[in-house]
Amino acid sequence: MISVPTVRKVIDQSVKDYQKCFDLLEALRDHPSNLSADDLLFQPRLATAIFRSGDMYQSLARESNTVISRKKNLSANWFRRRMGTLDAYKGAISETVKTGRILGDAFAWVFYQRERKYLRKHFEHEPVLNVPSGLGGKGELAFIKNVRVWNGQITIYHGITSFLRIGDVSFYDPNLKRITAIGELKTEKDTGSALGLQVYLLWPRDAEKVWPQPSQPSTASSKVPMPPKQRQQLTRQLKKMADSLDLPRPRDTIKLRDKTHLDELRELANALLNKSVVYQRAGDGLLLAGFTSKRERSYFGRLSPKTKPQLEKRLTGLNQHVRGIMDMTQVGSPLSINSIFYGSLELSVFPGATPMMCWKLPADFVRKLIFHEVIVVTIYNPAHLGRKLRAAGFEVALDGRVLKVSKRIGESGVEMHNMQFFVNLIQHHLIREDFVLNVFTEILKRIENGEIQPNSKIDLDPHIYY
């Protein structure tokens, strides 16, 4: 039976490694060109910590299955309590893995920030939540420990990130400052003293001169036949990798400059140095609520469900501040879309946006956010954005939590799909409502000028810089 001390020990060990990784990231944020070969040990250290937590999650899942299989022989109260305890442990471990991948996102971003063209394909796939385990995980860890630089190219391990979802590794040329290849790792055997591993590598056409012509497989590796099911899986994976490198050229580019709400977040960070709870309005419809977790000194303690009632008690004044972001001009109107969306500041990478660790914020505040010493709740009311869009001639409605935006232009119509994407940018990534409005009005201008023809589908691939 897995106990609290066992789970706490695993989490504490991982967080200790995370702290060391954060120190390197802090140095890289200010001086990214100072990366050395020894700094690349960041990846195996972080991966080891994430894998450690992943192994614990698997142990908890196995115990949960065992308890469920014995349910008939257990008292209802004991079964309920034990399953609740195991779920709480799994939640804490999942959050620990997520924290590690937030750090991994920031590291990989050092190399991908100028190569965002490749990321759209990655974001088309669901995040990989499972942590590599077994022979495959062992092989991946061995590879990044021993092959930090290959052919002059820096190895970037996808397993420590949330946003690199195709392939297992990328390679970055520090001289050309671009991604030159993507690879899939397959571990074939473990003799106890050595691992047999195959690397399947693909690169874009403009990187052909970087990589030498592939050699023939060794006799030893060619004697290891791949099972048909695994071969089919590899074929699918290689196709995804090839597709991620075959990118269409954008038809047009819209460049807009606008401020974000980073200034308001900095004000909140400064206020939290002297207060335990701070409210900060950011624009018309967004409210930031920041609070510290000083009572719980350990990371494990801050993740405990027992702290939730304490946090809720400290937010007793929230309702008064929420009323401040209501759009009173819409109250009583059948077209009113006043609504409250609760969330939190998103620390992972989001399509088009920049990871929070790369924002221009005080490093100590960023560290507190990552390790849950500070939590920033985001409360958003889309009514103000709706009012501004209506003033620009759009029709706006709210269907549950789905914002619907459209506009008639003569006999044609324009519909803005996936509005939740823009709501996420505003609520979780501090983009201003006016920026979204400017994007839409710029698209309308091009439609009205005939630059965009009727029956066109416009796929936006935003690159937002903070």
Side-chain angles (χ1 to χ4, degrees):
M1 183 181 294
I2 299 173
S3 62
V4 170
T6 302
V7 178
R8 182 190 292 270
K9 181 179 179 180
V10 169
I11 290 177
D12 287 347
Q13 286 177 328
S14 294
V15 171
K16 187 176 180 179
D17 286 330
Y18 291 170
Q19 293 281 5
K20 294 178 181 177
C21 291
F22 181 87
D23 292 341
L24 172 64
L25 288 173
E26 184 180 350
L28 282 180
R29 188 177 72 159
D30 297 329
H31 304 286
S33 60
N34 291 346
L35 184 72
S36 68
D38 288 340
D39 290 335
L40 296 176
L41 288 170
F42 169 99
Q43 295 185 97
R45 174 183 284 134
L46 181 59
T48 299
I50 291 174
F51 284 16
R52 183 190 300 121
S53 296
D55 289 343
M56 174 53 69
Y57 189 93
Q58 293 299 322
S59 297
L60 290 166
R62 286 192 293 270
E63 183 174 336
S64 293
N65 291 336
T66 300
V67 172
I68 291 172
S69 69
R70 298 174 52 226
K71 182 178 180 180
K72 293 181 180 180
N73 301 322
L74 301 171
S75 73
N77 288 337
W78 189 94
F79 175 83
R80 185 174 60 255
R81 288 196 304 270
R82 187 58 187 167
M83 290 302 296
T85 298
L86 291 172
D87 286 344
Y89 291 165
K90 286 192 286 186
I93 289 292
S94 294
E95 192 62 35
T96 305
V97 171
K98 181 180 178 182
T99 297
R101 283 181 165 155
I102 288 169
L103 297 170
D105 285 347
F107 180 83
W109 194 258
V110 172
F111 309 100
Y112 264 93
Q113 59 185 320
R114 295 184 180 87
E115 293 284 74
R116 296 190 184 198
K117 59 188 177 184
Y118 294 122
L119 297 185
R120 184 173 182 179
K121 292 287 186 178
H122 286 267
F123 278 115
E124 289 176 0
H125 298 271
E126 291 297 317
V128 180
L129 301 178
N130 294 331
V131 177
S133 61
L135 182 62
K138 189 175 182 179
E140 292 176 16
L141 186 57
F143 184 84
I144 61 173
K145 280 182 177 178
N146 293 281
V147 190
R148 286 174 275 163
V149 178
W150 188 17
N151 195 42
Q153 315 296 296
I154 295 173
T155 303
I156 305 164
Y157 178 46
H158 296 184
I160 59 172
T161 76
S162 69
F163 69 94
L164 296 178
R165 304 169 185 174
I166 301 172
D168 294 320
V169 289
S170 300
F171 294 92
Y172 174 86
D173 191 311
N175 296 315
L176 299 175
K177 294 187 177 2
R178 60 186 176 89
I179 301 297
T180 58
I182 184 171
E184 181 73 23
L185 306 178
K186 293 297 180 185
T187 308
E188 298 176 341
K189 59 183 178 179
D190 180 5
T191 65
S193 59
L195 291 167
L197 188 139
Q198 289 271 25
V199 183
Y200 297 85
L201 201 63
L202 297 177
W203 51 78
R205 193 164 297 162
D206 59 2
E208 289 177 346
K209 294 181 179 180
V210 173
W211 294 95
Q213 290 298 315
S215 60
Q216 293 296 321
S218 68
T219 304
S221 64
S222 62
K223 287 184 178 179
V224 181
M226 184 177 290
K229 186 175 181 180
Q230 189 177 359
R231 170 62 64 182
Q232 292 174 1
Q233 180 189 33
L234 176 62
T235 300
R236 292 192 298 268
Q237 290 169 328
L238 292 177
K239 185 180 185 306
K240 289 179 183 178
M241 288 164 55
D243 290 344
S244 73
L245 298 175
D246 184 19
L247 304 176
R249 292 185 178 181
R251 288 184 55 189
D252 204 351
T253 301
I254 299 175
K255 292 185 177 181
L256 298 173
R257 290 184 177 273
D258 202 345
K259 291 183 177 181
T260 65
H261 288 301
L262 276 184
D263 286 344
E264 290 90 334
L265 183 58
R266 291 191 195 99
E267 290 181 27
L268 180 143
N270 290 333
L272 281 174
L273 294 174
N274 301 311
K275 298 180 179 180
S276 60
V277 180
V278 173
Y279 296 97
Q280 177 69 51
R281 187 165 175 176
D284 294 324
L286 182 63
L287 175 67
L288 307 177
F291 52 92
T292 61
S293 301
K294 293 180 180 178
R295 294 183 182 180
E296 296 294 340
R297 296 184 178 181
S298 72
Y299 180 90
F300 178 82
R302 292 191 288 274
L303 297 182
S304 172
K306 295 180 181 179
T307 64
K308 187 176 180 181
Q310 299 173 6
L311 299 178
E312 291 176 348
K313 184 178 180 180
R314 296 171 69 189
L315 289 173
T316 53
L318 179 61
N319 290 341
Q320 177 182 352
H321 292 275
V322 168
R323 284 195 289 270
I325 61 172
M326 301 300 289
D327 185 359
M328 303 309 293
T329 65
Q330 297 185 40
V331 174
S333 168
L335 298 178
S336 174
I337 58 172
N338 274 305
S339 188
I340 297 300
F341 298 165
Y342 286 92
S344 60
L345 198 63
E346 182 55 61
L347 309 185
S348 302
V349 177
F350 185 75
T354 301
M356 185 276 304
M357 276 204 68
C358 300
W359 297 359
K360 294 180 180 179
L361 293 168
D364 188 58
F365 178 67
V366 174
R367 182 187 61 77
K368 290 177 180 178
L369 277 173
I370 288 175
F371 294 107
H372 296 270
E373 294 177 32
V374 165
I375 296 175
V376 177
V377 175
T378 60
I379 304 100
Y380 181 60
N381 178 14
H384 296 277
L385 175 61
R387 170 173 46 79
K388 296 170 187 176
L389 288 169
R390 285 169 179 163
F394 289 93
E395 296 179 13
V396 183
L398 187 64
D399 183 5
R401 290 180 61 89
V402 179
L403 202 60
K404 295 185 176 181
V405 178
S406 60
K407 180 177 172 63
R408 298 297 304 177
I409 302 178
E411 297 181 357
S412 301
V414 178
E415 292 186 8
M416 302 298 184
H417 291 268
N418 195 18
M419 282 299 299
Q420 189 59 41
F421 171 80
F422 295 101
V423 170
N424 284 339
L425 283 178
I426 295 169
Q427 181 173 3
H428 306 298
H429 300 272
L430 306 186
I431 300 302
R432 290 178 179 262
E433 292 176 336
D434 288 344
F435 173 79
V436 176
L437 183 64
N438 290 338
V439 170
F440 288 2
T441 53
E442 184 65 28
I443 292 172
L444 282 183
K445 286 181 185 177
R446 300 190 180 204
I447 294 174
E448 293 168 347
N449 292 339
E451 298 176 42
I452 299 175
Q453 300 301 314
N455 300 319
S456 295
K457 179 182 178 181
I458 305 170
D459 289 323
L460 296 178
D461 184 17
H463 293 183
I464 300 169
Y465 298 88
Y466 290 75

